[in-house]
Amino acid sequence: FNTGHQHTQLANADQNGFLFVTPAINLAWGNFGVGLTLELQNYSLLRANTTAGTRRDAFDAQFLVGHLQAANRFLDGQLVIGGGLRVLELDVTNPNAPAGQTHLATVVGMGVETGVLWAPTDEPYRLGAAFRSAITANPDPQSRIAPNTEGDRILGDPSDPTNSFWLPDRVYQPWDLNLGMAVQLGSRPFNQRWIDPEQRVDVAREA
């Protein structure tokens, strides 16, 4: 969260806003399905301590993580196996900069993810697992932030890091493994046998 060799003093920066949006869409055709999910996070900061001759720079960081996945049912719906791609993008801008200089840096990376769900018919439990590979990405070479003497890229006065914003030299999202289990207590039916509606229609037509 915007830290470097010398930590950004968030107390000296005006937190201008935070935005979280996660739209998703899922489509299924019989046993096969696809899904798209976007995780958008936006953080905005303003330099608080400025003088008459200093521009009040802003720091807008937008994180976008996209999941594009496909999955299929097997064994009458008891087993579901899926996989897809995870794309990470970070855009950093300075809205208060002159026209044509607002874009600071863009970071893009990609990884894979896969998952499996076991839901035995008429049993009161389900088991699931998912794995996502790590993503490492470096900013593009078009960054408008010049490195200081220590190699850091800073928005502000490199000689006085107080109230300055530090750009990351890379973005790393670690791999993760998720295991889960669901248990149904009580008489409510769980893991009912799934029947493809298209098969029902075909049987009715033959009859």
Side-chain angles (χ1 to χ4, degrees), residues 85-165:
L85 299 176
R86 179 174 62 162
V87 180
L88 169 67
E89 180 181 13
L90 168 62
D91 285 316
V92 183
T93 61
N94 178 10
N96 292 346
Q101 301 180 23
T102 57
H103 179 261
L104 300 179
T106 298
V107 180
V108 179
M110 181 181 298
V112 298
E113 51 189 3
T114 184
V116 59
L117 174 67
W118 172 243
T121 302
D122 297 329
E123 295 294 336
Y125 64 88
R126 295 176 184 174
L127 303 174
F131 173 78
R132 299 179 179 90
S133 66
I135 300 176
T136 300
N138 297 317
D140 61 51
Q142 303 299 322
S143 171
R144 296 185 182 277
I145 304 300
N148 61 9
T149 56
E150 295 181 350
D152 295 313
R153 295 184 302 165
I154 184 173
L155 178 58
D157 183 359
S159 64
D160 181 13
T162 302
N163 196 39
S164 295
F165 302 114

Side-chain angles (χ1 to χ4, degrees), residues 22-207:
T22 309
I25 183 172
N26 297 288
L27 303 174
W29 297 268
N31 286 307
F32 179 76
V34 296
L36 174 64
T37 303
L38 300 177
E39 302 172 9
L40 173 65
Q41 302 178 27
N42 183 273
Y43 302 89
S44 299
L45 300 174
L46 285 172
R47 293 184 63 193
N49 299 333
T50 58
T51 64
T54 304
R55 183 180 68 209
R56 194 182 191 197
D57 286 319
F59 182 94
D60 279 9
Q62 177 177 289
F63 293 87
L64 178 63
V65 181
H67 304 267
L68 178 60
Q69 303 167 330
N72 197 77
R73 294 174 181 262
F74 301 93
L75 304 177
D76 293 329
Q78 298 182 99
L79 177 65
V80 181
I81 300 177
L85 299 176
R86 179 174 62 162
V87 180
L88 169 67
E89 180 181 13
L90 168 62
D91 285 316
V92 183
T93 61
N94 178 10
N96 292 346
Q101 301 180 23
T102 57
H103 179 261
L104 300 179
T106 298
V107 180
V108 179
M110 181 181 298
V112 298
E113 51 189 3
T114 184
V116 59
L117 174 67
W118 172 243
T121 302
D122 297 329
E123 295 294 336
Y125 64 88
R126 295 176 184 174
L127 303 174
F131 173 78
R132 299 179 179 90
S133 66
I135 300 176
T136 300
N138 297 317
D140 61 51
Q142 303 299 322
S143 171
R144 296 185 182 277
I145 304 300
N148 61 9
T149 56
E150 295 181 350
D152 295 313
R153 295 184 302 165
I154 184 173
L155 178 58
D157 183 359
S159 64
D160 181 13
T162 302
N163 196 39
S164 295
F165 302 114
W166 300 76
L167 284 178
D169 58 2
R170 66 186 176 94
V171 173
Y172 175 71
Q173 191 166 23
W175 65 268
D176 63 84
L177 175 65
N178 301 271
L179 302 175
M181 179 178 183
V183 178
Q184 174 67 44
L185 303 177
S187 58
R188 180 177 178 271
F190 202 49
N191 297 340
Q192 299 183 61
R193 184 176 301 277
W194 185 83
I195 300 177
D196 189 342
E198 293 294 335
Q199 296 179 358
R200 287 287 186 90
V201 172
D202 293 340
V203 171
R205 288 173 178 173
E206 293 177 358

